[in-house]
Amino acid sequence: MQEEIHKCIEVLLDGGLIVYPTDTLWGIGCDATNEAAVAKVFALKKRDLSKKMSCLVAHEFMLEKHVKQVPEVAYDLIDLATKPTTIVYDQPVGMAQNLVSPNQTIAIRVASDKFCQYLIAKFKRPLVATSANLSGAPAPRNFKEISAAILKGVDYVVNLPEEKKLATPSSIIQLKNDGTVKIIRE
């Protein structure tokens, strides 16, 4: 696993794209603080720029570094969630502007997958986490379903055995700084 993490970090530091297993689906990733890298993901997926993508952080400390104010209820949601949960936060800090929605929000999930946690902690920056499919196509339920166009369009594909992947997207909950909570996807 260390060799895979090292290869990923080399690619990510160079502004490249990876395909990697997340705690939900196989995803396309890049440095979430690098606007040019994020633009490459939009182009590869043929994704409309208005449809934002989520990010992964390694732990709560990294989350606090990239969101101006983490609502207290977020910590409970992170700790008590029974499946991966992405939270939409107000006022991101230090993230690529093309990841930030016009209303100044960003979707972030604290990774629960060990590989993701190690990779992101070692990289020391959040990663984009969007499903490894062209926009409008079904999300791949396993590695074999990732299209050749996606695999050819990235700079590195993580070579790890596919184990107990959930093959389902995360829940998405929006937490506004004013206390409003909105379930976007269960």
Side-chain angles (χ1 to χ4, degrees):
M1 181 166 39
Q2 290 302 324
E3 185 177 328
E4 290 300 313
I5 288 173
H6 178 73
K7 288 178 181 176
C8 286
I9 289 174
E10 282 181 1
V11 169
L12 294 166
L13 286 172
D14 199 34
L17 308 184
I18 62 172
V19 165
Y20 68 115
T22 73
D23 43 4
T24 56
L25 304 164
W26 278 81
I28 300 170
C30 72
D31 177 352
T33 68
N34 180 331
E35 205 160 321
V38 171
K40 289 181 194 177
V41 177
F42 276 108
L44 174 61
K45 286 183 63 95
K46 297 178 170 63
R47 187 176 179 107
D48 186 295
L49 295 175
S50 67
K51 292 186 172 190
K52 299 305 177 186
M53 299 178 286
S54 61
C55 308
L56 289 176
V57 294
H59 39 68
E60 291 172 0
F61 176 74
M62 186 179 282
L63 171 65
E64 292 164 354
K65 185 177 172 188
H66 291 283
V67 175
K68 188 172 183 177
Q69 176 187 340
V70 178
E72 279 303 312
V73 70
Y75 298 106
D76 291 333
L77 287 171
I78 293 165
D79 291 341
L80 300 173
T82 57
K83 73 180 241 184
T85 301
T86 302
I87 300 175
V88 179
Y89 296 95
D90 289 340
Q91 300 175 304
V93 176
M95 302 297 272
Q97 275 305 294
N98 48 356
L99 276 180
V100 178
S101 63
N103 64 351
Q104 293 301 299
T105 61
I106 194 159
I108 301 176
R109 184 169 72 250
V110 177
S112 58
D113 176 84
K114 292 295 178 209
F115 175 77
C116 288
Q117 288 175 337
Y118 293 145
L119 172 60
I120 299 164
K122 190 119 174 135
F123 185 54
K124 298 182 175 138
R125 299 179 205 161
L127 289 184
V128 164
T130 183
S131 56
N133 61 303
L134 296 173
S135 191
R141 293 171 298 182
N142 56 53
F143 182 81
K144 293 178 185 100
E145 291 184 3
I146 300 173
S147 74
I150 294 293
L151 294 173
K152 288 177 186 173
V154 299
D155 301 292
Y156 187 70
V157 177
V158 171
N159 183 23
L160 287 178
E162 187 174 350
E163 300 170 359
K164 61 179 171 57
K165 292 294 162 211
L166 297 176
T168 57
S170 69
S171 297
I172 302 176
I173 299 172
Q174 184 170 16
L175 298 179
K176 305 285 287 167
N177 286 345
D178 67 6
T180 306
V181 177
K182 178 180 177 186
I183 297 174
I184 297 171
R185 180 175 66 203
E186 287 189 51

